[in-house]
Amino acid sequence: MNTTLSWIKAYVPGLSCTDQEYCDAMTMSGTKVESYERLDKNLEKIVIGQIKSIEKHPDADKLIVCQVDVGSETIQIVTGANNVKVGDKVPVVLDGGKVAGGHDGSPLPENGIRIKAGKLRGVPSNGMMCSIEELGSSREMYPEAPENGIYIFDDDVQVGSDAVEALGLHDTVFEYEVTNNRIDCFSILGIAREAAATFRLPFNPPEVTLHENQENVNDYISVKVQDPDLCPRYCARVCTNIKIAPSPKWMQRRLAASGIRPINNLVDITNYVMEEYGQPMHAYDLSTIAGKQIIVRRAKDGDEFETLDGQMRKLDKDVLMICDAEKEIGIAGIMGGENSKITDDVKTVLFEAACFNGTNIRKSAKRIGLRTDASGIFEKGLDPHNAEAAINRACQLIEQLGCGEVVGGMADVCEPMKERVRVPFQPEKINSLLGTDISAEDMLSYFKRLEFDYDEKENVLVAPTFRQDIEGFADVAEEVARFYGYDRIPMTLPTGEATTGKLSFKLRIEQKARDVAEYCGFSQGMCYSFESPKVFDKLLLDKDDPLRRTVTIQNPLGEDFSIMRTISLNGILTSLATNYNRRNKNVKLYELGNIYLPKAIPVTELPEERMQFTLGCYGEGDFYTMKGVVEEFLESIGMKEKKEYDPDAGKNFLHPGRQANVIYDGKVIGFLGEVHPQVLDNYEIGERAYVAVLDMPAILPYATFDRKYEGIAKYPAVNRDISMVVPKEILAGQIEQIIAQRGGKILESYSLFDIYEGAQIREGYKSMAYTLVFRAKDRTLEEADVAAAMKKILNGLQGLGIELRA
C-alpha cells in the first residue's frame, strides 16, 4: 500500500512532521512503513518562466534562443525543443539548480543533474527549460505533457513561482507493509485514521452529501443475487448525462503520486474511490445492459468470457459472474467485460460497489489466470458497510466534477450483516499481559481515537465494522500496546511454572555461533531461501559446478525466486550491497540459514538441508579479522587443536590469492576469503569485502562443551623469542604446527608478534618472530628442559628451510 503525505494531511489537517518522524511514529504504532521517497528529490531552483521572444540560433538549425521571464529577471535560454512558442509558461531550472534526470526517460541518476550557465554553439544559455521526464516523472502520470518536448503549464500559474509546487511534486510517497487482516489499511482513509490516532490529532474524513435528481434508480435497473453466499452485498447507483473529460489537476496529481495513470474523469473517479476507501468499484455503460437487470450468479462449466483486456477466459461453476438479462458482463471482483465497457460516447453509467467472498475471488483469479488490483483487495474480505459509503462518495464526485447527474436512490441487495464485535474491557488483565501500569482512562482514550465505542453499562468495547481483525481480548490488548508504545513497555521476567528444559546440542552450537558473531560486532540478517539461477553467474561458478544442480520451484513468484539456494553467499552479498549503496561505511552481517542440495535430478525426494554459518563484512577489517572470528567460534565449541587453513581452496568467487579452506582433523568444514573483484562489481560493492562460510553439520561431530578445569599455575614460566628468516611460500600454520608438535608437554603457548618483508630481508624470504612460553605443572623448569624443547623445535623448522635470523 502506497500513500502520499499530502493526501493523508487532507484528512489529518494538523499533521506536521518530517518524513522520517512520520515513518518512525507510524511504524512504532503498528503501521509499518517499509520505505519512503520524496517526489521532489533532486529538484532545485526550478521556477515557472514565460517565454517572451524566440529567435533562431545563428549557428545551429535545430536550436532556438529564447528570452524567458522568470519573475525576478529575464534570462536567455538556448534549447532544441520544438514545441514552445511565445507566451508559453514552462518550468525553468535556474543557474546552479538541479533536475532529476534526462529527457530520454532513462533511469534517474542517484544525485540528479546539476545545471550550470554556459554556451551552446557559442551563444550564452543561463538555464534550462524542462520536460516532465527531467522532473522525475513521465507522461503516464502527466498525460497533458508532450511526448517529446518541454512541459507547458496552464495560463493560470504565476510567473516566478515554484514550478515543483505547481506540479504537485513537493510530496512524499510512503510504502507500507500492511498485513492481510488489516483490510481497512488498504485505503487512504484507513492509513489516515491510523495517523490521526498515532499523532493524537482529529481525523476528518470527507463529508459525503448527495444532491439526487427526482428520478428513481429502480426505473433504470433491478438487481438480483442468486448466490448470496458469494455476494453478501451488491449496491448499484445510476448517473445520467455523463460528460467525459479530463479529471481536475488535484485528482490527477493524487492518483499519479500513488502510481495510477490518470485517464478521464469517470475512470479516475472509480480509481480515486478505490484508493481512498479501499473499495473496488466498476462502471458499466447502462445502454449495454439488457433488460435493465443485474444478475449475480455462478458461471457454467465450459463458459468463455472476453474481459476488458481483450482476452478470452475459460470459466467454471465456481466463478461468480455479473450478468444482465441475456449475457455475462463482468467477472465479479476481478474484471469487467469487453461488451459493457465505458466509451467516450457513454451517456448513462451504472456504478457497482459490492462485497464478494474473499476465498472464492482468490481461487477464481487463480483458476482463470487473472489477478487484478481489485481482486487483490476483494480476496482479503471487505466490510459490507464500506460498499455503500464508497458508492455514495463516487456519486458525490460525479456531481462535484460536473461529470453528470445522480439518479435518486440506490439498488441494494444485502444479506443480514454481522453484528459489531463486542469484547469485555478488562484493563487489569491487559496490564497483566503487557507488564504495564496503564490507567483505564488512558486505554479508553486509545480506543476512542480508533473509533471503538464503549458500553459503560456492560463494560464492553464495541469494535467498528471496518476492524474485522478484532475478535477477542488479545486483539484489544494489542491496540493498547501499540498506542501506548512498544518502546515504553518495560522488560519483565516471565512468571509461572514450567518443567526444566534446555536447547538441543545442535541449537546450542547455533546459539554459540550467534553469540560469537554478535560479540565480534556482526548483526544478524535473514536472507531468502528462494533465489534466481542468475546468482551462479554473478558468483562466477563454473558451468559444470555441482552447486548449479538445484531444486526448482513449481509455482515461483518469478524468475528471481525460482530455485532453492545451494550456496548461502548471495543473500549476504546482496545485503552488503544494499548497505553499501545506502552509504553505510562499516558493515558486518551474519546469517544462520539452510542451503538445499538435491539428492538427485530430477528431484524424487526431499533435498538435503544443511545449516550454514555465513559471515560477511566490508569497511574496517580484513582477511585476518574474518579468520579471527572463525577461530573464536571454533575455540568456543572446543575445536582448538586440529584446525588448519588450506590456501588452495579453488573458489571462483574469492580472490585467487586471498582465500582458504577451513580444515579440521583433515576434513573441510568451510572456507573464508576476500570476495573476487569481479563478483564485487556484479553486486555493485565498491570496496573490498570478506566472507566466511562454515558448514554446521560438518562441525557438529567435533564440537563439545566439555571443559576440564586446570588450576592456577604454581610454578614460573620461561619465555623464549625466536626470530626467523622464512621462505615466502611457508605458511604461519606450518610453523605453528611444528612448534606445537615438538614443544612437548612443557610448551604452554606461542604467539606471532612480528612479520616483516623488505629491503633488509633477501628476496623470496620474510622475517617472522614468535614468543614461546614454557611451564611445567609439577616443578620449576631448568635451562636444560627448555633448551631441549627449543632444539627439537628448531630442528623441525630447519626442515622447512627456515633459518634463525642473526
Side-chain angles (χ1 to χ4, degrees):
M1 177 66 194
N2 293 354
T3 72
T4 57
L5 189 58
S6 63
W7 204 345
I8 297 298
K9 287 182 177 179
Y11 306 130
V12 190
L15 183 60
S16 178
C17 60
T18 66
D19 295 340
Q20 189 61 53
E21 288 170 346
Y22 178 86
C23 173
D24 294 342
M26 292 294 284
T27 298
M28 287 304 297
S29 68
T31 308
K32 182 181 179 184
V33 180
E34 283 284 288
S35 62
Y36 63 89
E37 182 178 7
R38 290 289 306 179
L39 295 180
D40 57 3
K41 179 182 178 182
N42 295 324
L43 300 181
E44 299 176 11
K45 296 180 69 174
I46 304 177
V47 300
I48 297 175
Q50 186 171 27
I51 300 175
K52 292 301 185 182
S53 67
I54 299 176
E55 299 176 358
K56 289 186 177 181
H57 192 290
D59 294 324
D61 294 338
K62 294 185 178 181
L63 296 179
I64 56 175
V65 181
C66 304
Q67 302 300 320
V68 184
D69 178 10
V70 294
S72 59
E73 60 179 326
T74 298
I75 62 175
Q76 179 170 286
I77 297 176
V78 179
T79 180
N82 56 13
N83 69 312
V84 294
K85 63 182 184 299
V86 173
D88 283 346
K89 295 180 178 180
V90 297
V92 176
V93 190
L94 302 178
D95 180 25
K98 188 186 285 188
V99 293
H103 67 278
D104 58 355
S106 57
L108 302 180
E110 178 66 24
N111 298 315
I113 300 173
R114 184 72 65 183
I115 303 300
K116 296 182 179 180
K119 291 184 177 181
L120 287 178
R121 299 291 293 272
V123 175
S125 181
N126 298 310
M128 184 182 81
M129 294 182 281
C130 303
S131 68
I132 198 64
E133 289 79 13
E134 288 163 330
L135 297 172
S137 192
S138 66
R139 289 187 67 248
E140 277 200 342
M141 301 308 168
Y142 290 81
E144 74 276 13
E147 184 172 357
N148 291 298
I150 304 302
Y151 183 87
I152 299 174
F153 288 103
D154 293 336
D155 288 337
D156 56 355
V157 297
Q158 183 178 353
V159 173
S161 62
D162 187 348
V164 179
E165 182 177 0
L167 288 166
L169 292 175
H170 282 316
D171 208 345
T172 307
V173 177
F174 291 88
E175 179 185 358
Y176 305 86
E177 180 185 319
V178 181
T179 54
N180 285 343
N181 65 330
R182 287 302 305 273
I183 184 63
D184 58 301
C185 287
F186 284 91
S187 66
I188 299 294
L189 289 178
I191 297 293
R193 186 184 292 110
E194 289 289 309
T198 298
F199 290 93
R200 302 180 180 230
L201 295 170
F203 171 56
N204 298 330
E207 294 184 9
V208 179
T209 55
L210 290 177
H211 298 90
E212 305 171 337
N213 64 21
Q214 300 303 311
E215 298 177 286
N216 189 323
V217 69
N218 296 311
D219 296 333
Y220 284 86
I221 198 70
S222 64
V223 177
K224 181 178 181 181
V225 178
Q226 294 184 358
D227 294 277
D229 58 320
L230 301 183
C231 179
R233 189 172 195 184
Y234 190 99
C235 302
R237 275 190 173 275
V238 173
C239 295
T240 60
N241 299 323
I242 296 296
K243 302 176 183 65
I244 300 295
S247 54
K249 287 289 190 295
W250 63 266
M251 180 176 284
Q252 291 189 34
R253 299 298 180 255
R254 285 184 176 178
L255 290 174
S258 297
I260 298 175
R261 179 171 62 92
I263 298 176
N264 58 48
N265 50 7
L266 192 58
V267 175
D268 290 352
I269 285 171
T270 60
N271 286 333
Y272 186 87
V273 172
M274 182 172 77
E275 288 293 300
E276 188 176 48
Y277 279 77
Q279 170 69 52
M281 294 184 58
H282 193 68
Y284 298 98
D285 185 343
L286 191 62
S287 66
T288 66
I289 297 177
K292 296 183 178 181
Q293 285 185 313
I294 290 290
I295 302 172
V296 184
R297 61 169 176 81
R298 295 172 184 262
K300 298 175 183 177
D301 287 334
D303 281 358
E304 290 188 345
F305 179 71
E306 186 178 5
T307 48
L308 277 171
D309 57 2
Q311 301 292 316
M312 293 299 297
R313 309 288 177 177
K314 293 184 178 180
L315 311 175
D316 60 42
K317 61 181 178 60
D318 291 323
V319 177
L320 191 66
M321 301 297 294
I322 310 298
C323 311
D324 60 19
E326 299 176 355
K327 62 186 181 299
E328 296 92 348
I329 58 174
I331 304 176
I334 300 177
M335 185 177 282
E338 181 73 15
N339 55 11
S340 60
K341 69 178 181 181
I342 298 293
T343 66
D344 291 343
D345 299 326
V346 64
K347 298 301 180 185
T348 305
V349 164
L350 172 70
F351 276 124
E352 163 195 291
C355 184
F356 301 113
N357 180 282
T359 302
N360 176 262
I361 295 298
R362 183 174 66 253
K363 291 182 176 179
S364 296
K366 180 81 171 177
R367 284 197 302 275
I368 66 177
L370 177 61
R371 195 170 188 273
T372 60
D373 290 342
S375 69
I377 295 177
F378 276 122
E379 68 187 24
K380 295 173 177 66
L382 296 183
D383 173 17
H385 294 83
N386 199 39
E388 181 177 359
I391 202 169
N392 287 340
R393 173 64 165 160
C395 290
Q396 179 195 36
L397 291 170
I398 287 285
E399 177 191 2
Q400 180 180 327
L401 303 187
C403 185
E405 295 181 19
V406 181
V407 172
M410 178 179 72
D412 184 9
V413 178
C414 182
E415 290 293 293
M417 286 185 275
K418 187 173 71 171
E419 294 289 333
R420 294 171 63 182
V421 174
R422 300 170 67 86
V423 181
F425 179 50
Q426 301 169 289
E428 297 84 3
K429 189 176 178 181
I430 292 174
N431 278 324
S432 176
L433 176 67
L434 301 179
T436 54
D437 186 19
I438 308 171
S439 67
E441 291 75 17
D442 285 344
M443 291 185 190
L444 288 174
S445 71
Y446 304 154
F447 290 113
K448 183 177 181 180
R449 299 205 303 268
L450 293 168
E451 300 184 23
F452 282 66
D453 291 331
Y454 175 55
D455 187 334
E456 187 173 358
K457 183 177 179 181
E458 296 187 14
N459 192 35
V460 167
L461 294 166
V462 185
T465 59
F466 57 79
R467 288 300 301 274
Q468 298 187 53
D469 60 305
I470 301 297
E471 296 180 355
F473 166 76
D475 300 310
V476 297
E478 181 184 7
E479 300 302 297
V480 172
R482 68 193 186 96
F483 286 103
Y484 175 72
Y486 289 114
D487 55 328
R488 297 174 60 196
I489 296 177
M491 292 184 292
T492 56
L493 293 173
T495 58
E497 296 181 2
T499 57
T500 302
K502 64 177 182 179
L503 295 176
S504 67
F505 181 73
K506 173 179 177 292
L507 294 181
R508 290 173 66 196
I509 297 296
E510 292 175 8
Q511 185 58 52
K512 180 60 70 173
R514 293 187 187 93
D515 293 343
V516 169
E518 290 167 12
Y519 170 79
C520 294
F522 286 72
S523 299
Q524 184 169 12
M526 299 290 288
C527 303
Y528 290 113
S529 296
F530 296 173
E531 291 186 335
S532 168
K534 299 175 183 176
V535 165
F536 304 126
D537 292 332
K538 291 177 72 174
L539 293 174
L540 309 181
L541 294 186
D542 295 332
K543 296 299 182 183
D544 58 349
D545 195 301
L547 293 177
R548 289 181 179 265
R549 301 172 69 249
T550 62
V551 177
T552 303
I553 308 301
Q554 285 187 347
N555 56 341
L557 297 174
E559 185 184 8
D560 289 344
F561 301 95
S562 61
I563 62 170
M564 303 291 287
R565 66 177 180 176
T566 58
I567 184 170
S568 60
L569 283 183
N570 176 66
I572 283 290
L573 290 175
T574 300
S575 298
L576 290 177
T578 300
N579 279 275
Y580 178 80
N581 289 318
R582 293 182 181 176
R583 301 187 179 182
N584 293 329
K585 292 184 178 179
N586 300 302
V587 177
K588 295 179 178 179
L589 299 175
Y590 79 93
E591 182 205 12
L592 277 166
N594 286 334
I595 59 172
Y596 304 85
L597 305 177
K599 298 175 183 177
I601 297 292
V603 175
T604 56
E605 58 181 314
L606 293 176
E608 180 185 5
E609 300 183 24
R610 299 187 70 87
M611 177 67 68
Q612 306 290 289
F613 180 27
T614 308
L615 303 114
C617 71
Y618 68 79
E620 293 180 357
D622 55 18
F623 177 93
Y624 297 102
T625 304
M626 192 65 76
K627 179 172 176 279
V629 179
V630 171
E631 293 198 347
E632 181 78 19
F633 168 60
L634 294 178
E635 291 181 14
S636 72
I637 57 173
M639 297 173 62
K640 183 177 181 180
E641 304 297 335
K642 303 176 182 178
K643 59 180 179 294
E644 302 174 47
Y645 297 91
D646 179 8
D648 297 324
K651 307 294 184 186
N652 291 5
F653 43 80
L654 297 179
H655 192 292
R658 299 167 191 161
Q659 59 174 282
N661 277 334
V662 183
I663 300 174
Y664 192 83
D665 197 20
K667 182 177 180 180
V668 176
I669 60 171
F671 61 84
L672 75 156
E674 180 181 329
V675 180
H676 195 288
Q678 181 59 52
V679 175
L680 292 175
D681 289 343
N682 292 342
Y683 282 91
E684 297 182 357
I685 301 174
E687 60 178 281
R688 290 182 175 182
Y690 302 88
V691 295
V693 178
L694 295 177
D695 185 36
M696 299 300 275
I699 287 173
L700 286 177
Y702 304 105
T704 178
F705 289 108
D706 294 340
R707 299 291 185 270
K708 183 179 179 181
Y709 171 74
E710 295 183 2
I712 298 173
K714 298 180 181 179
Y715 301 97
V718 178
N719 291 4
R720 289 288 186 272
D721 291 347
I722 53 173
S723 180
M724 303 167 286
V725 178
V726 182
K728 279 190 176 181
E729 66 271 13
I730 299 298
L731 304 177
Q734 294 174 269
I735 296 174
E736 291 172 4
Q737 186 177 19
I738 288 178
I739 293 174
Q741 289 174 350
R742 293 176 172 257
K745 293 182 179 180
I746 64 172
L747 179 65
E748 183 176 80
S749 64
Y750 53 85
S751 62
L752 175 69
F753 69 86
D754 182 59
I755 184 167
Y756 171 75
E757 294 182 35
Q760 299 179 24
I761 304 299
R762 64 180 184 270
E763 188 175 352
Y765 286 79
K766 57 190 174 184
S767 172
M768 300 178 69
Y770 277 84
T771 289
L772 283 66
V773 180
F774 297 93
R775 190 195 308 265
K777 297 179 181 179
D778 56 353
R779 59 192 173 87
T780 299
L781 289 175
E782 297 180 0
E783 177 61 29
D785 298 324
V786 178
M790 286 296 297
K791 184 176 181 180
K792 290 181 180 179
I793 291 172
L794 294 175
N795 288 339
L797 295 175
Q798 288 175 359
L800 296 177
I802 296 173
E803 303 173 5
L804 287 180
R805 188 174 177 186

